[in-house]
Amino acid sequence: MQQPIFIYTALPCEAQPLIGHFHLKKDLRVQAFAVFRRENICLTVTGIGKSAMAAGIAYTQALFAESPYPVMLNAGIAGHRHHPLGSVFLANKITDAASQKCHYPPIVFKPPCAATSIQTYAKPQLAYLHDELCDMEASAFYETAARFTTGELIQALKVVSDNENHSAAQVTAQAASEMLAAHIGVIVQVLGQVDKLSASLAVTGPQGLNELLGRYHFSVNGQQQLKNKLARWELLGGPSVFEAMDGVKDGKGVLKRLEEKIRELEFYL
């Protein structure tokens, strides 16, 4: 079963190899962003920076959201102090440099490449002082995407385009496209793995959803949070959700208890 897949890139050059591989066509009805589509895949070129990325995700989801469990991928380039040019990584930790807020994309499948941490900055980091990958969109990507799907279905993949021996000023659009193109196979594998997770949730929805909606009152936003948290609970292999609900009196308490239990499961993984 193929689930809706949304790919977000900041730059046209990052998008180009993906557009070619998946045979995507530009949707001429969409004016605010460059959007390319085919069957279940939708790619949006958002522009550079956190605000642009957040706006691109929200706009695309408002137009094309069809499933409660869409797959979302941010594919692009990033800088690092010493990683070789062309190295590819999945993000297992994303930190916003301004707020220091951290996100931990759960990788609950065998990744086809190494995983590492990313720091997201408002401006290019040209001094190469950091041990993490540096980009300008990942934190906004994850935080915004998490409003529309569960964390296990949100992944960020970055290819190293510059380092202390080859600065960002030397990176051309063609070079960036070629670096992404070299890892199309990795991107396809990641999307395939996450698509399987999404399909497993889409068959029946997360276990316990209807029962909890019947027992407790949730706002519209709370219902979406409940779906996302239950989906994460299920993908992490948690036991019966009702075993964790002793003493819980309302919907807000359910969401808080689920968040606590999910953190415990993630810690023991």
Side-chain angles (χ1 to χ4, degrees):
M1 179 185 297
Q2 290 186 325
Q3 298 303 303
I5 293 173
F6 293 90
I7 302 172
Y8 295 94
T9 71
L11 298 168
C13 61
E14 297 170 328
Q16 203 58 49
L18 294 163
I19 293 168
H21 178 81
F22 293 113
H23 305 291
L24 306 179
K25 301 296 183 183
K26 189 170 185 179
D27 191 331
L28 299 177
R29 300 168 300 172
V30 181
Q31 300 298 319
F33 294 92
V35 174
F36 301 83
R37 303 176 68 207
R38 179 176 177 267
E39 297 176 352
N40 66 312
I41 299 177
C42 178
L43 183 150
T44 302
V45 181
T46 66
I48 297 172
K50 293 186 291 184
S51 296
M53 177 60 68
I57 293 172
Y59 185 85
T60 305
Q61 290 300 300
L63 286 180
F64 303 117
E66 300 173 350
S67 164
Y69 308 114
V71 173
M72 296 201 190
L73 175 71
N74 171 218
I77 57 175
H80 190 268
R81 181 189 297 178
H82 57 73
H83 283 320
L85 302 183
S87 302
V88 61
F89 297 92
L90 277 174
N92 56 17
K93 178 183 179 182
I94 301 171
T95 304
D96 186 276
S99 68
Q100 287 301 298
K101 186 174 183 179
C102 296
H103 308 280
Y104 298 89
I107 303 175
V108 295
F109 53 90
K110 185 177 180 179
C113 63
T116 192
S117 57
I118 297 176
Q119 287 256 15
T120 297
Y121 292 86
K123 297 180 179 179
Q125 299 299 295
L126 303 178
Y128 300 99
L129 302 175
H130 311 287
D131 291 326
E132 302 89 356
L133 294 178
C134 296
D135 87 330
M136 297 174 64
E137 294 85 26
S139 64
F141 162 74
Y142 191 89
E143 186 166 1
T144 308
R147 296 175 179 270
F148 300 99
T149 193
T150 183
E152 285 74 12
L153 306 182
I154 306 169
Q155 301 295 327
L157 181 144
K158 300 291 179 176
V159 177
V160 176
S161 59
D162 53 287
N163 57 30
E164 60 186 1
N165 296 317
H166 186 92
S167 75
Q170 297 173 269
V171 179
T172 65
Q174 181 178 346
S177 287
E178 290 173 353
M179 290 178 188
L180 266 294
H183 295 294
I184 286 291
V186 173
I187 293 171
V188 170
Q189 288 184 61
V190 170
L191 289 175
Q193 293 278 13
V194 182
D195 180 66
K196 289 179 182 178
L197 295 175
S198 176
S200 70
L201 292 172
V203 173
T204 59
Q207 295 181 3
L209 174 62
N210 291 331
E211 292 88 340
L212 288 171
L213 289 174
R215 290 189 189 186
Y216 303 95
H217 172 72
F218 295 88
S219 66
V220 174
N221 179 261
Q223 291 178 34
Q224 185 60 49
Q225 289 186 55
L226 180 64
K227 288 180 184 179
N228 290 345
K229 292 181 189 300
L230 286 176
R232 179 172 293 183
W233 177 268
E234 187 171 327
L235 290 171
L236 290 172
S240 171
V241 69
F242 298 103
E243 295 178 10
M245 292 298 121
D246 288 346
V248 174
K249 297 181 180 180
D250 54 30
K252 289 184 178 180
V254 171
L255 296 175
K256 182 178 179 180
R257 182 67 58 82
L258 273 173
E259 186 64 32
E260 293 170 351
K261 294 298 182 181
I262 286 168
R263 288 176 181 170
E264 291 177 9
L265 283 177
E266 291 175 337
F267 176 80
Y268 287 112
L269 283 178

CSV table of all heavy atoms in Angstrom, one decimal, residues 77-84 87-98 100-104 115-121 123-136 138-139 158-164:
chain,number,residue,atom,x,y,z
A,77,ILE,N,21.0,19.7,1.5
A,77,ILE,CA,22.5,19.8,1.8
A,77,ILE,C,22.7,20.5,3.1
A,77,ILE,O,21.8,21.2,3.7
A,77,ILE,CB,23.2,20.6,0.7
A,77,ILE,CG1,22.7,22.0,0.5
A,77,ILE,CG2,23.2,19.8,-0.6
A,77,ILE,CD1,23.5,22.8,-0.5
A,78,ALA,N,23.9,20.2,3.7
A,78,ALA,CA,24.2,20.8,5.0
A,78,ALA,C,25.8,20.9,5.1
A,78,ALA,O,26.5,20.2,4.3
A,78,ALA,CB,23.7,19.9,6.2
A,79,GLY,N,26.2,21.7,6.0
A,79,GLY,CA,27.7,21.9,6.2
A,79,GLY,C,28.1,21.1,7.4
A,79,GLY,O,27.4,20.8,8.3
A,80,HIS,N,29.4,20.8,7.5
A,80,HIS,CA,30.0,20.1,8.6
A,80,HIS,C,31.5,20.5,8.7
A,80,HIS,O,32.1,20.8,7.7
A,80,HIS,CB,29.9,18.6,8.6
A,80,HIS,CG,30.2,18.0,9.9
A,80,HIS,ND1,31.5,17.5,10.1
A,80,HIS,CD2,29.5,17.7,11.0
A,80,HIS,CE1,31.5,16.9,11.3
A,80,HIS,NE2,30.3,17.1,11.9
A,81,ARG,N,32.1,20.4,9.9
A,81,ARG,CA,33.5,20.8,10.1
A,81,ARG,C,34.4,19.9,9.2
A,81,ARG,O,35.2,20.4,8.5
A,81,ARG,CB,33.9,20.7,11.5
A,81,ARG,CG,35.3,21.1,11.8
A,81,ARG,CD,35.8,20.8,13.2
A,81,ARG,NE,35.0,21.5,14.2
A,81,ARG,CZ,35.2,21.4,15.5
A,81,ARG,NH1,36.0,20.5,16.0
A,81,ARG,NH2,34.4,22.1,16.3
A,82,HIS,N,34.2,18.6,9.3
A,82,HIS,CA,35.2,17.7,8.7
A,82,HIS,C,34.6,16.5,7.9
A,82,HIS,O,35.4,15.8,7.2
A,82,HIS,CB,36.2,17.2,9.7
A,82,HIS,CG,35.5,16.4,10.8
A,82,HIS,ND1,35.0,15.2,10.6
A,82,HIS,CD2,35.3,16.7,12.1
A,82,HIS,CE1,34.5,14.7,11.8
A,82,HIS,NE2,34.7,15.7,12.7
A,83,HIS,N,33.3,16.3,7.9
A,83,HIS,CA,32.8,15.2,7.2
A,83,HIS,C,33.1,15.4,5.7
A,83,HIS,O,33.0,16.5,5.2
A,83,HIS,CB,31.3,15.0,7.4
A,83,HIS,CG,30.9,14.4,8.7
A,83,HIS,ND1,31.6,13.3,9.2
A,83,HIS,CD2,29.9,14.6,9.5
A,83,HIS,CE1,31.1,13.0,10.4
A,83,HIS,NE2,30.0,13.8,10.6
A,84,PRO,N,33.5,14.3,5.0
A,84,PRO,CA,33.8,14.5,3.5
A,84,PRO,C,32.6,15.0,2.7
A,84,PRO,O,31.4,14.7,3.0
A,84,PRO,CB,34.1,13.0,3.1
A,84,PRO,CG,34.5,12.3,4.4
A,84,PRO,CD,33.7,13.0,5.5
A,87,SER,N,29.0,13.0,1.9
A,87,SER,CA,28.6,12.1,2.9
A,87,SER,C,27.1,12.3,3.1
A,87,SER,O,26.6,13.4,3.1
A,87,SER,CB,29.3,12.3,4.2
A,87,SER,OG,30.7,12.2,4.0
A,88,VAL,N,26.4,11.2,3.4
A,88,VAL,CA,24.9,11.3,3.6
A,88,VAL,C,24.5,10.8,5.0
A,88,VAL,O,25.1,9.8,5.5
A,88,VAL,CB,24.2,10.5,2.5
A,88,VAL,CG1,24.5,9.0,2.6
A,88,VAL,CG2,22.7,10.7,2.6
A,89,PHE,N,23.6,11.5,5.6
A,89,PHE,CA,23.2,11.2,7.0
A,89,PHE,C,21.7,11.4,7.2
A,89,PHE,O,21.1,12.3,6.6
A,89,PHE,CB,23.9,12.1,8.0
A,89,PHE,CG,25.4,12.0,8.1
A,89,PHE,CD1,26.2,12.8,7.2
A,89,PHE,CD2,26.0,11.1,8.9
A,89,PHE,CE1,27.6,12.7,7.3
A,89,PHE,CE2,27.4,11.0,8.9
A,89,PHE,CZ,28.2,11.8,8.1
A,90,LEU,N,21.1,10.5,8.0
A,90,LEU,CA,19.8,10.8,8.6
A,90,LEU,C,19.9,11.5,9.9
A,90,LEU,O,20.9,11.3,10.6
A,90,LEU,CB,19.0,9.5,8.8
A,90,LEU,CG,18.3,8.8,7.6
A,90,LEU,CD1,17.7,7.5,8.0
A,90,LEU,CD2,17.2,9.7,7.1
A,91,ALA,N,19.0,12.4,10.2
A,91,ALA,CA,19.0,13.1,11.5
A,91,ALA,C,18.4,12.3,12.6
A,91,ALA,O,17.2,11.8,12.4
A,91,ALA,CB,18.3,14.4,11.3
A,92,ASN,N,19.1,12.1,13.7
A,92,ASN,CA,18.5,11.5,14.8
A,92,ASN,C,18.3,12.5,16.0
A,92,ASN,O,17.8,12.2,17.0
A,92,ASN,CB,19.4,10.3,15.3
A,92,ASN,CG,20.8,10.6,15.6
A,92,ASN,OD1,21.2,11.8,15.7
A,92,ASN,ND2,21.7,9.6,15.7
A,93,LYS,N,18.8,13.7,15.8
A,93,LYS,CA,18.6,14.8,16.7
A,93,LYS,C,18.7,16.1,15.9
A,93,LYS,O,19.6,16.3,15.1
A,93,LYS,CB,19.6,14.8,17.8
A,93,LYS,CG,19.5,16.0,18.8
A,93,LYS,CD,20.6,16.0,19.9
A,93,LYS,CE,20.4,17.1,20.9
A,93,LYS,NZ,21.5,17.1,21.9
A,94,ILE,N,17.7,17.0,16.1
A,94,ILE,CA,17.6,18.3,15.4
A,94,ILE,C,17.5,19.3,16.5
A,94,ILE,O,16.5,19.3,17.3
A,94,ILE,CB,16.5,18.4,14.4
A,94,ILE,CG1,16.6,17.3,13.4
A,94,ILE,CG2,16.4,19.7,13.8
A,94,ILE,CD1,15.4,17.2,12.5
A,95,THR,N,18.4,20.3,16.6
A,95,THR,CA,18.4,21.3,17.5
A,95,THR,C,18.3,22.7,16.8
A,95,THR,O,19.0,23.0,15.9
A,95,THR,CB,19.7,21.3,18.4
A,95,THR,OG1,19.9,20.1,19.0
A,95,THR,CG2,19.6,22.4,19.5
A,96,ASP,N,17.3,23.5,17.3
A,96,ASP,CA,17.2,24.8,16.8
A,96,ASP,C,18.2,25.7,17.6
A,96,ASP,O,18.1,25.8,18.8
A,96,ASP,CB,15.8,25.4,17.0
A,96,ASP,CG,15.6,26.7,16.4
A,96,ASP,OD1,16.0,27.7,17.1
A,96,ASP,OD2,15.1,26.8,15.3
A,97,ALA,N,19.2,26.3,16.9
A,97,ALA,CA,20.3,27.0,17.6
A,97,ALA,C,19.7,28.2,18.3
A,97,ALA,O,20.3,28.6,19.4
A,97,ALA,CB,21.3,27.5,16.5
A,98,ALA,N,18.7,28.9,17.9
A,98,ALA,CA,18.2,30.1,18.5
A,98,ALA,C,17.4,29.7,19.8
A,98,ALA,O,17.7,30.4,20.8
A,98,ALA,CB,17.2,30.8,17.6
A,100,GLN,N,17.3,26.5,21.2
A,100,GLN,CA,17.9,25.3,21.8
A,100,GLN,C,16.8,24.2,22.0
A,100,GLN,O,17.0,23.3,22.8
A,100,GLN,CB,18.6,25.7,23.2
A,100,GLN,CG,19.9,26.4,23.0
A,100,GLN,CD,20.9,25.6,22.2
A,100,GLN,OE1,21.3,24.5,22.6
A,100,GLN,NE2,21.3,26.1,21.0
A,101,LYS,N,15.7,24.3,21.4
A,101,LYS,CA,14.7,23.3,21.4
A,101,LYS,C,15.2,22.1,20.6
A,101,LYS,O,15.6,22.3,19.4
A,101,LYS,CB,13.4,23.8,20.9
A,101,LYS,CG,12.2,22.8,21.0
A,101,LYS,CD,10.9,23.4,20.6
A,101,LYS,CE,9.7,22.4,20.8
A,101,LYS,NZ,8.4,23.1,20.5
A,102,CYS,N,15.0,20.9,21.1
A,102,CYS,CA,15.5,19.7,20.4
A,102,CYS,C,14.4,18.8,20.0
A,102,CYS,O,13.4,18.7,20.7
A,102,CYS,CB,16.5,18.9,21.3
A,102,CYS,SG,18.0,19.8,21.8
A,103,HIS,N,14.6,18.2,18.8
A,103,HIS,CA,13.7,17.2,18.3
A,103,HIS,C,14.5,15.9,18.1
A,103,HIS,O,15.6,16.0,17.6
A,103,HIS,CB,13.0,17.6,17.1
A,103,HIS,CG,12.3,19.0,17.2
A,103,HIS,ND1,11.1,19.2,17.8
A,103,HIS,CD2,12.8,20.2,16.8
A,103,HIS,CE1,10.8,20.5,17.7
A,103,HIS,NE2,11.8,21.1,17.2
A,104,TYR,N,13.8,14.7,18.3
A,104,TYR,CA,14.5,13.5,18.1
A,104,TYR,C,13.7,12.6,17.1
A,104,TYR,O,12.9,11.8,17.5
A,104,TYR,CB,14.7,12.7,19.4
A,104,TYR,CG,15.5,13.5,20.4
A,104,TYR,CD1,15.0,14.4,21.3
A,104,TYR,CD2,16.9,13.3,20.4
A,104,TYR,CE1,15.7,15.2,22.1
A,104,TYR,CE2,17.7,14.1,21.3
A,104,TYR,CZ,17.1,15.0,22.2
A,104,TYR,OH,17.9,15.7,23.1
A,115,ALA,N,23.5,7.9,11.0
A,115,ALA,CA,22.6,8.9,11.5
A,115,ALA,C,23.5,9.9,12.4
A,115,ALA,O,24.4,9.4,13.0
A,115,ALA,CB,21.5,8.3,12.4
A,116,THR,N,23.1,11.1,12.5
A,116,THR,CA,23.8,12.1,13.3
A,116,THR,C,22.9,13.3,13.7
A,116,THR,O,21.7,13.3,13.3
A,116,THR,CB,25.1,12.6,12.5
A,116,THR,OG1,25.9,13.3,13.4
A,116,THR,CG2,24.6,13.5,11.3
A,117,SER,N,23.5,14.2,14.4
A,117,SER,CA,22.7,15.4,14.8
A,117,SER,C,22.9,16.6,13.9
A,117,SER,O,23.9,16.7,13.3
A,117,SER,CB,23.1,15.8,16.3
A,117,SER,OG,24.5,16.0,16.3
A,118,ILE,N,21.8,17.4,13.9
A,118,ILE,CA,21.8,18.6,13.1
A,118,ILE,C,21.5,19.9,13.9
A,118,ILE,O,20.7,19.8,14.8
A,118,ILE,CB,20.8,18.6,12.0
A,118,ILE,CG1,21.1,17.4,11.0
A,118,ILE,CG2,20.7,19.9,11.2
A,118,ILE,CD1,20.0,17.2,9.9
A,119,GLN,N,22.2,20.9,13.7
A,119,GLN,CA,21.9,22.2,14.3
A,119,GLN,C,21.3,23.1,13.2
A,119,GLN,O,21.9,23.2,12.1
A,119,GLN,CB,23.1,22.9,14.9
A,119,GLN,CG,23.6,22.2,16.2
A,119,GLN,CD,23.2,23.1,17.4
A,119,GLN,OE1,22.4,24.0,17.4
A,119,GLN,NE2,23.8,22.8,18.6
A,120,THR,N,20.2,23.8,13.5
A,120,THR,CA,19.6,24.7,12.5
A,120,THR,C,19.8,26.1,12.9
A,120,THR,O,19.5,26.5,14.0
A,120,THR,CB,18.1,24.4,12.4
A,120,THR,OG1,17.9,23.0,11.9
A,120,THR,CG2,17.4,25.3,11.4
A,121,TYR,N,20.4,26.9,12.0
A,121,TYR,CA,20.7,28.3,12.2
A,121,TYR,C,20.0,29.2,11.3
A,121,TYR,O,19.5,28.8,10.2
A,121,TYR,CB,22.2,28.5,12.0
A,121,TYR,CG,23.1,27.8,13.1
A,121,TYR,CD1,23.5,26.5,12.9
A,121,TYR,CD2,23.5,28.5,14.2
A,121,TYR,CE1,24.3,25.9,13.9
A,121,TYR,CE2,24.3,27.9,15.1
A,121,TYR,CZ,24.7,26.6,15.0
A,121,TYR,OH,25.5,25.9,15.9
A,123,LYS,N,21.4,31.8,9.8
A,123,LYS,CA,22.4,32.2,8.8
A,123,LYS,C,23.4,31.1,8.5
A,123,LYS,O,23.6,30.2,9.4
A,123,LYS,CB,23.1,33.5,9.3
A,123,LYS,CG,22.2,34.7,9.5
A,123,LYS,CD,23.1,35.9,10.0
A,123,LYS,CE,22.2,37.1,10.2
A,123,LYS,NZ,23.0,38.3,10.7
A,124,PRO,N,24.0,31.1,7.4
A,124,PRO,CA,25.0,30.1,7.0
A,124,PRO,C,26.2,30.2,8.1
A,124,PRO,O,26.6,31.2,8.5
A,124,PRO,CB,25.5,30.5,5.6
A,124,PRO,CG,24.4,31.3,5.1
A,124,PRO,CD,23.7,32.0,6.2
A,125,GLN,N,26.7,29.0,8.4
A,125,GLN,CA,27.8,28.9,9.4
A,125,GLN,C,29.1,28.7,8.6
A,125,GLN,O,29.3,27.5,8.2
A,125,GLN,CB,27.5,27.8,10.4
A,125,GLN,CG,26.2,28.0,11.2
A,125,GLN,CD,26.3,29.3,12.1
A,125,GLN,OE1,27.1,29.4,13.0
A,125,GLN,NE2,25.4,30.2,11.8
A,126,LEU,N,29.8,29.7,8.5
A,126,LEU,CA,31.0,29.6,7.6
A,126,LEU,C,32.3,29.4,8.4
A,126,LEU,O,33.4,29.3,7.7
A,126,LEU,CB,31.1,30.9,6.7
A,126,LEU,CG,29.9,31.2,5.9
A,126,LEU,CD1,30.1,32.5,5.1
A,126,LEU,CD2,29.6,30.0,4.9
A,127,ALA,N,32.3,29.4,9.7
A,127,ALA,CA,33.5,29.2,10.5
A,127,ALA,C,33.8,27.8,10.7
A,127,ALA,O,34.9,27.4,11.1
A,127,ALA,CB,33.4,30.0,11.8
A,128,TYR,N,32.8,26.9,10.6
A,128,TYR,CA,32.9,25.5,10.8
A,128,TYR,C,33.5,25.1,12.1
A,128,TYR,O,34.5,24.4,12.3
A,128,TYR,CB,33.8,24.9,9.6
A,128,TYR,CG,33.2,25.1,8.3
A,128,TYR,CD1,33.6,26.2,7.5
A,128,TYR,CD2,32.1,24.4,7.8
A,128,TYR,CE1,33.0,26.5,6.3
A,128,TYR,CE2,31.5,24.6,6.6
A,128,TYR,CZ,31.9,25.7,5.8
A,128,TYR,OH,31.3,25.9,4.6
A,129,LEU,N,32.8,25.6,13.2
A,129,LEU,CA,33.2,25.4,14.5
A,129,LEU,C,32.5,24.3,15.2
A,129,LEU,O,32.8,23.9,16.3
A,129,LEU,CB,33.1,26.7,15.4
A,129,LEU,CG,33.8,27.9,14.8
A,129,LEU,CD1,33.4,29.1,15.7
A,129,LEU,CD2,35.3,27.7,14.9
A,130,HIS,N,31.5,23.7,14.5
A,130,HIS,CA,30.5,22.8,15.2
A,130,HIS,C,30.7,21.4,14.8
A,130,HIS,O,31.2,21.1,13.7
A,130,HIS,CB,29.1,23.2,14.8
A,130,HIS,CG,28.8,24.7,15.0
A,130,HIS,ND1,28.7,25.3,16.2
A,130,HIS,CD2,28.7,25.7,14.1
A,130,HIS,CE1,28.5,26.6,16.0
A,130,HIS,NE2,28.5,26.8,14.8
A,131,ASP,N,30.4,20.5,15.8
A,131,ASP,CA,30.6,19.1,15.5
A,131,ASP,C,29.3,18.5,14.9
A,131,ASP,O,29.3,17.3,14.5
A,131,ASP,CB,30.9,18.3,16.8
A,131,ASP,CG,32.2,18.7,17.4
A,131,ASP,OD1,33.2,18.9,16.6
A,131,ASP,OD2,32.4,18.7,18.6
A,132,GLU,N,28.2,19.2,14.8
A,132,GLU,CA,27.0,18.8,14.2
A,132,GLU,C,26.9,19.3,12.8
A,132,GLU,O,27.6,20.2,12.4
A,132,GLU,CB,25.8,19.3,15.0
A,132,GLU,CG,25.7,18.9,16.4
A,132,GLU,CD,26.4,19.9,17.3
A,132,GLU,OE1,27.0,20.9,16.8
A,132,GLU,OE2,26.3,19.7,18.6
A,133,LEU,N,26.1,18.6,12.0
A,133,LEU,CA,25.7,19.2,10.7
A,133,LEU,C,25.0,20.5,10.9
A,133,LEU,O,24.3,20.7,11.9
A,133,LEU,CB,24.8,18.2,10.0
A,133,LEU,CG,25.3,16.9,9.5
A,133,LEU,CD1,24.2,16.1,8.8
A,133,LEU,CD2,26.5,17.0,8.6
A,134,CYS,N,25.2,21.4,10.0
A,134,CYS,CA,24.5,22.7,10.1
A,134,CYS,C,23.7,23.0,8.9
A,134,CYS,O,24.1,22.8,7.8
A,134,CYS,CB,25.6,23.8,10.3
A,134,CYS,SG,26.6,23.8,11.7
A,135,ASP,N,22.4,23.4,9.1
A,135,ASP,CA,21.5,23.8,8.0
A,135,ASP,C,20.7,24.9,8.5
A,135,ASP,O,20.9,25.5,9.5
A,135,ASP,CB,20.7,22.6,7.5
A,135,ASP,CG,19.4,22.4,8.3
A,135,ASP,OD1,19.4,22.8,9.5
A,135,ASP,OD2,18.4,21.9,7.7
A,136,MET,N,19.7,25.3,7.6
A,136,MET,CA,18.8,26.4,8.0
A,136,MET,C,17.3,26.1,8.0
A,136,MET,O,16.5,27.0,8.1
A,136,MET,CB,19.1,27.5,6.9
A,136,MET,CG,20.5,28.1,7.0
A,136,MET,SD,20.9,29.3,5.7
A,136,MET,CE,19.8,30.6,6.1
A,138,ALA,N,16.0,22.4,9.1
A,138,ALA,CA,15.5,21.1,9.7
A,138,ALA,C,14.7,21.3,10.9
A,138,ALA,O,13.7,20.5,11.1
A,138,ALA,CB,16.8,20.3,10.0
A,139,SER,N,15.0,22.2,11.8
A,139,SER,CA,14.2,22.3,13.0
A,139,SER,C,12.7,22.7,12.7
A,139,SER,O,11.8,22.2,13.3
A,139,SER,CB,14.8,23.3,14.0
A,139,SER,OG,14.9,24.6,13.5
A,158,LYS,N,20.4,14.6,5.0
A,158,LYS,CA,21.2,15.7,4.6
A,158,LYS,C,22.5,15.1,4.0
A,158,LYS,O,23.1,14.1,4.5
A,158,LYS,CB,21.6,16.6,5.8
A,158,LYS,CG,20.4,17.2,6.4
A,158,LYS,CD,19.8,18.3,5.6
A,158,LYS,CE,18.6,18.9,6.2
A,158,LYS,NZ,18.0,20.0,5.4
A,159,VAL,N,22.9,15.7,2.9
A,159,VAL,CA,24.2,15.4,2.2
A,159,VAL,C,25.2,16.6,2.5
A,159,VAL,O,24.8,17.7,2.3
A,159,VAL,CB,24.0,15.2,0.7
A,159,VAL,CG1,25.3,15.0,0.0
A,159,VAL,CG2,23.0,14.1,0.4
A,160,VAL,N,26.4,16.2,2.9
A,160,VAL,CA,27.4,17.3,3.2
A,160,VAL,C,27.9,17.9,2.0
A,160,VAL,O,28.5,17.3,1.1
A,160,VAL,CB,28.6,16.6,4.0
A,160,VAL,CG1,29.7,17.7,4.3
A,160,VAL,CG2,28.1,16.0,5.3
A,161,SER,N,27.7,19.2,1.9
A,161,SER,CA,28.0,20.0,0.7
A,161,SER,C,29.3,20.9,0.9
A,161,SER,O,29.9,21.3,-0.1
A,161,SER,CB,26.9,20.9,0.3
A,161,SER,OG,26.5,21.8,1.3
A,162,ASP,N,29.6,21.1,2.2
A,162,ASP,CA,30.7,22.0,2.4
A,162,ASP,C,31.3,21.7,3.8
A,162,ASP,O,30.6,21.2,4.7
A,162,ASP,CB,30.3,23.5,2.4
A,162,ASP,CG,29.1,23.8,3.3
A,162,ASP,OD1,27.9,23.4,2.9
A,162,ASP,OD2,29.3,24.4,4.3
A,163,ASN,N,32.6,22.0,3.9
A,163,ASN,CA,33.3,21.8,5.2
A,163,ASN,C,34.5,22.8,5.3
A,163,ASN,O,34.5,23.7,4.4
A,163,ASN,CB,33.8,20.4,5.3
A,163,ASN,CG,34.7,20.0,4.1
A,163,ASN,OD1,35.4,20.8,3.5
A,163,ASN,ND2,34.7,18.7,3.8
A,164,GLU,N,35.3,22.7,6.3
A,164,GLU,CA,36.3,23.7,6.5
A,164,GLU,C,37.4,23.8,5.3
A,164,GLU,O,38.1,24.8,5.2
A,164,GLU,CB,37.1,23.5,7.8
A,164,GLU,CG,37.8,22.1,7.9
A,164,GLU,CD,38.3,21.9,9.3
A,164,GLU,OE1,38.1,22.8,10.2
A,164,GLU,OE2,38.9,20.8,9.5
